[in-house]
Structures are given as C-alpha cells and as structure tokens.
Amino acid sequence: MFDLKKHIKATCLDDAIALLIENPNARLIAGGTDVLIKLRHGKKGYSELIDINGLEELRFIKQDKQNNILIGSGTVFSDIIQSDIIKKHIPMLSDAAQSVGGPQIRNVATIGGNICNGVTSADSASSLFSLNAVLVVKTQGAIREIPISDFYLGPGKVDLKKGEILTTIIIRPDDYMGSFGYYYKYAMRNAMDIATIGCAVCLKVKHHILADFRIAYGVAGPVPIRCLKTEKSVTNKKITLKLLDDISRFVAHDVSPRTSWRATKEFRMNIICELSKRATKKALNRAGEGL
Amino acid sequence: MTDQGFREIIFSINGKQRTLYIDIRSSLLEVLRNELGLTGAKEGCGVGECGACSVLVDDVLVDSCIYLAIWADGKAIRTIEGEAKKGKLSKVQQSYVKEGAVQCGFCTPGFIMASTSFTEKNKGESVTEDEIRKAHAGNLCRCTGYQNILKAVEKSIEP
Ligand SMILES: Cc1cc2nc3c(=O)[nH]c(=O)nc-3n(C[C@@H](O)[C@@H](O)[C@H](O)COP(=O)(O)OP(=O)(O)OC[C@H]3O[C@@H](n4cnc5c(N)ncnc54)[C@H](O)[C@@H]3O)c2cc1C
Ligand code: FES
Ligand code: FES
C-alpha cells in the first residue's frame, strides 16, 4: 500500500489547476515512476495527489505552422521513440528516450515528470538543454514560457509556483532545423541504470565550420548544465580532430561534478571530457562530416 | 485515511468484466494478488526495477507494483493466468517450456508478459538479438543467465 491520504482524479488540465489551488498540500502525479517510488520509500510530502495520469490533453507531439515542435508534458517516453516527427527532426531526443529505464518504465514515465522531478540525471533534461527547449507553464488565468536553462533552481527544485502545471515543451525551428545532435549516456550498466554522466550535443555545420555548437550535461553539477564558455570558444572554428580535443579540455572548466556512491568526482570529470568528444563526433557524423 | 479512501473500479481482467471496491492506496499488483487471487505476477522489488510484476494494461506492458490500482478503471488487464486458452499454452509459454527458459520460475510470469508484448508488436517482422534484449531490459532473472530466455523469444517470433 502506498501511504496516500487523498487522491483526486483531474478531469482536464483546468480542473487539475483548480484542484492544485484548492489543495495547497497536494502534488501532481503523472506516470508516478518518481512519485510512487518516493511513497514506497516513505518520503513525506506526497500523501495528497492530484492525478493527471493519462490526460489525453497533455499527451501529444506535433508541429505547428511556424514549425515549432510541441511535446505535451504527459507524453510518455515510448510515444517519443515511436514518433515520426521526433525520428525525422530530433533523433537525439529519441536517443535520450531510448536510454530511460526499461520498456515498462518508458511506457508510463512522462517527459514532463522527468523534467519537473528536478534531478540532474534526468535523461530528457540535458537533451532539452542543448535544444534550447522552452517550457510552457499554466495556472489559472496565466501562462508563462520559461527557457529550460532557467527552470532548474537546485537539486529537486524547479521553477514551478503553487497551482502551476507544465503543459508543453517547445523546440523552436532555429534550434532543430539544420541541427544535428547526439545524446550519449554513460552508465554502469547498459540498461535500467541512471546516468553516471549524460552528454547532449547539438550542432550546425557550414562549409566544414562549426557554425553553432550547444553542449549540455546531466550529473556534471547539481542541476543539468550548458557549457556556454566552451560553446563560445569553439563556434565558427574549422572542424578538425584538434577541435574535438579543445572541446574536451574546455568543458572541464564549465562543469562541477561531485563524488557520490556511483562515481568519484575525478572519474566523472574523465567521462565528461571523453563524452564531449564522442557525442560531438557522432553529431558531426550525422551532419555528414566524417572525422 | 479520509472517507474518500475507497473507490469503485470497473475493468476487465483476462477478458472478464469485474467491478471492485478498492482502497485507493493499493497498487494494481496488490489488487491482482490479494483481491483477485491472481498470484502469477510477483512482487520482486516493489520499485520498478525487476519486472516480476509485469502485466499488460490495454496491451501496454507495465510494472504493476508502481501502477495505482485505480488507474485500471475502464481498462483491460492481462496477466499470465489468461495467456493459456482452453488449456493450451500460448506460443510464448510453449517456447519457454521447450527452451528450458524456466528455473525457479519467480521471474517467469513477468518475462512471459514482456515477451508477449514484444512478439505481438513485432508479429511477422524480423528482429535482432539486440532488440530482444532491449525489450526485456526491465526484467531480471537470477537463475537462467538469460540465454534460454533469449532463445525462447526467438522461437516465439518464428512464424
Ligand atoms: C526503475 C526506474 C528506472 C528509471 N530509469 C531512469 C532513467 O534511466 N533515466 C531517467 O531520466 N529517469 C529514470 N527513471 C525516472 C523516470 O521514470 C522519471 O523521472 C519519469 O520520467 C517521471 O515521469 P512520471 O510521469 O513518472 O512522473 P511522476 O512520478 O508522476 O512525477 C514526477 C514529479 O513531477 C511532477 N510533475 C509531473 N507532471 C507534471 C506536470 N505536468 N507539471 C508539473 N509537475 C509535474 C510531480 O508532481 C512529481 O513531483 C527511472 C525510474 C524508475 C522507477
Ligand atoms: S516488483 Fe514490480 S518491478 Fe520489481
Ligand atoms: S528462473 Fe529464477 S529468477 Fe528467473
């Protein structure tokens, strides 16, 4: 039995928002793969739930007239893997979705829950950082758009106020069209393990020049991070093996990994540097640059 | 607990319609085992790591230990108990028997449901060993070393 005191099923998004406001101690549950684990472990603060599990309104992947790709927060990882839009335009997000848990988890875990849970290891988070994703957050009478890089306030803490629900993740055409990406997850086991380090790269190439470069990490700090200094230093440089080495040296200054029972800080740093090369190379290969 | 502690759910279990009045705190696994006496699905870890509790909900493979029982309302649940039809094992079950893919059997009901989901999705298609492994990455087995399970799944896919 889960230690639940109250459970209210929301009939639609607006109902869920109203219920969150009426029940200030309640939390949302979507796929429950984080919430129910916390309840199992006796964690406090989850005994009142507003249930948005399976709300069709939040489950979609589409492209609008301006070519923005819109992903509903209630979309499960299996939907992302199967989506033709994602396969065609953002294969790196498929990589990331494939790397989450096992089939049973991917069938119920939502991308919105993955982000809102606020952990640095969330496989979708680092990818969305490198894609400059924008989050649409709704409450009664107000909608906010937040760049994902501003959303993480600290470990397990995201910029959601009482009564706010993440509805949509937007990826703008500038950030995916003509871009090539790769998500590299390093974990101790090939499957069913959370990332020791996750590295997402998204880039554009013009005449063998790195025209745009975005690199983000999970578990390289208390929250997912972008390596902005590195990005600045290598943009508009000619694509060579030396450039890959430069990237791997520069990223070390942009990150702040920690020691945990999974891995030491030093080991993580090693992986961070190595993955920058591997992920960049894979993304370059996808862009048709043979290195 | 408040007076809202119990709720009626209507769902189908292995093809039969059922109405139950359940405690909102229960997992689907608890309802299957304790209310319906369907003890095929097992509790291994209780936290989504081992797949011993795997069942199909509207033909989607889930870990029933981290699935609220109230979510089953209006859905069709399939468990290992419903896989043999008229006393005849399903093709997946037969393949497990033939390949000796069962030792202590604790993981088997969950594995069979994962294999069933995989073979139904990939009917008539050729699949790689890697795809089979990935499709069973959410299931743990402490006995067999997986090799015979792999062979059993290959066999279940054969036309
Ligand atoms: C065995 C196992 C393996 C796993 N492996 C991985 C892995 O490899 N990689 C990985 O990244 N993760 C992994 N996870 C965690 C992953 O399943 C979750 O992070 C999942 O994506 C969360 O989604 P959910 O729908 O289950 O969220 P829930 O558990 O329902 O919710 C998570 C949090 O987000 C909040 N929330 C949910 N939806 C919204 C919304 N729309 N608006 C605002 N807040 C919301 C909830 O209130 C809660 O605080 C694993 C989990 C398990 C149990
Ligand atoms: S008992 Fe459900 S996954 Fe282990
Ligand atoms: S047969 Fe014993 S755990 Fe798999």
Side-chain angles (χ1 to χ4, degrees):
Chain A
M1 294 265 176
F2 298 102
D3 191 11
L4 275 181
K5 299 221 158 45
K6 200 176 194 179
H7 169 277
I8 312 175
K9 192 160 175 53
T11 52
C12 63
L13 172 61
D14 287 336
D15 184 39
I17 293 170
L19 287 167
L20 275 180
I21 293 169
E22 270 168 45
N23 298 274
N25 295 324
R27 293 207 175 219
L28 289 175
I29 182 167
T33 61
D34 283 317
V35 168
L36 295 176
I37 304 298
K38 285 178 180 159
L39 277 167
R40 267 277 186 268
H41 293 151
K43 196 157 176 195
K44 297 271 173 305
Y46 291 87
S47 62
E48 294 184 23
L49 298 178
I50 307 298
D51 197 340
I52 55 170
N53 184 274
L55 266 194
E56 287 300 323
E57 209 181 340
L58 293 174
R59 189 170 178 179
F60 55 83
I61 299 174
K62 56 193 181 194
Q63 220 168 351
D64 69 8
K65 285 203 190 77
Q66 292 78 42
N67 278 321
N68 294 302
I69 289 178
L70 311 176
I71 305 174
S73 63
T75 305
V76 301
F77 287 113
S78 300
D79 297 338
I80 292 176
I81 295 167
Q82 278 153 28
S83 157
D84 290 329
I85 294 178
I86 301 296
K87 264 189 234 163
K88 179 162 177 229
H89 297 289
I90 324 181
M92 123 203 275
L93 203 55
S94 289
D95 305 340
Q98 301 256 17
S99 79
V100 174
Q104 291 91 334
I105 299 296
R106 294 193 290 271
N107 283 343
V108 291
T110 66
I111 189 166
N114 199 227
I115 300 167
C116 293
N117 194 44
V119 302
T120 181
S121 59
D123 285 305
S124 68
S126 33
S127 321
L128 293 172
F129 267 65
S130 77
L131 286 161
N132 286 325
V134 174
L135 306 180
V136 183
V137 165
K138 193 173 177 205
T139 187
Q140 264 170 2
I143 291 182
R144 289 196 292 147
E145 289 194 359
I146 318 162
I148 193 165
S149 50
D150 294 342
F151 191 61
Y152 282 78
L153 305 176
K157 199 159 169 31
V158 293
D159 183 15
L160 275 178
K161 304 193 174 67
K162 282 267 172 251
E164 281 188 332
I165 295 185
L166 170 64
T167 64
T168 312
I169 298 148
I170 307 180
I171 300 159
R172 307 227 189 267
D174 268 359
D175 295 312
Y176 76 86
M177 282 186 161
S179 286
F180 296 88
Y182 195 81
Y183 177 67
Y184 207 120
K185 174 172 175 172
Y186 183 95
M188 294 305 173
R189 296 202 299 145
N190 276 337
M192 293 294 286
D193 201 357
I194 69 164
T196 305
I197 293 289
C199 175
V201 165
C202 210
L203 51 79
K204 289 182 191 168
V205 170
K206 224 186 221 159
H207 311 298
H208 306 295
I209 299 284
L210 197 54
D212 189 9
F213 184 67
R214 289 166 262 144
I215 181 164
Y217 282 97
V219 211
V223 295
I225 39 168
R226 277 279 288 274
C227 299
L228 296 174
K229 281 185 276 172
T230 304
E231 293 177 10
K232 227 172 136 198
S233 319
V234 300
T235 312
N236 292 322
K237 294 273 160 44
K238 197 163 169 6
I239 296 162
T240 59
L241 284 173
K242 182 179 169 296
L243 188 67
L244 288 186
D245 286 331
D246 287 345
I247 292 171
S248 80
R249 273 188 300 113
F250 296 160
V251 287
H253 303 284
D254 276 324
V255 297
S256 50
R258 290 181 189 180
T259 294
S260 79
W261 66 268
R262 268 174 209 280
T264 62
K265 182 176 154 179
E266 291 75 18
F267 180 67
R268 282 214 163 87
M269 192 57 107
N270 219 336
I271 301 298
I272 287 167
C273 297
E274 180 59 27
L275 291 195
S276 71
K277 280 203 262 188
R278 292 195 193 181
T280 305
K281 198 167 164 202
K282 290 270 193 194
L284 284 170
N285 291 345
R286 277 182 175 170
E289 290 285 325
L291 256 188
Chain B
M1 235 178 21
T2 66
D3 48 288
Q4 294 177 305
F6 283 82
R7 216 164 295 160
E8 186 182 88
I9 59 167
I10 304 174
F11 62 108
S12 103
I13 173 77
N14 297 327
K16 285 200 195 79
Q17 196 82 6
R18 290 293 301 252
T19 303
L20 285 183
Y21 201 55
I22 57 159
D23 190 320
I24 59 160
R25 301 171 301 169
S26 354
S27 67
L28 177 57
L29 180 64
E30 285 161 336
V31 166
L32 292 174
R33 292 182 60 88
N34 306 338
E35 312 284 323
L36 296 172
L38 298 172
T39 52
K42 302 284 184 283
E43 176 161 299
C45 64
V47 288
E49 300 275 352
C50 75
C53 63
S54 301
V55 302
L56 301 181
V57 177
D58 284 349
D59 291 329
V60 175
L61 184 71
V62 308
D63 289 323
S64 62
C65 71
I66 50 168
Y67 193 92
L68 287 179
I70 35 186
W71 290 342
D73 190 30
K75 305 248 164 59
I77 315 295
R78 284 168 64 188
T79 68
I80 189 70
E81 286 87 352
E83 289 308 292
K85 301 271 167 10
K86 297 195 182 112
K88 193 168 178 289
L89 296 182
S90 73
K91 190 164 179 197
V92 174
Q93 288 174 310
Q94 286 174 32
S95 309
Y96 270 68
V97 173
K98 278 201 196 115
E99 292 303 325
V102 181
Q103 287 189 21
C104 80
F106 191 83
C107 70
T108 312
F111 258 103
I112 301 258
M113 296 322 282
S115 302
T116 301
S117 155
F118 179 71
T119 50
E120 285 177 1
K121 255 190 273 170
N122 293 286
K123 230 185 211 132
E125 285 173 41
S126 70
V127 297
T128 62
E129 185 186 317
D130 192 48
E131 283 168 331
I132 299 179
R133 284 187 188 276
K134 278 205 178 113
H136 295 78
N139 293 77
L140 292 182
C141 173
R142 297 296 302 264
C143 306
T144 65
Y146 302 104
Q147 212 48 42
N148 289 356
I149 294 179
L150 198 72
K151 281 195 215 144
V153 181
E154 275 168 356
K155 192 158 227 142
S156 344
I157 286 263
E158 283 169 11

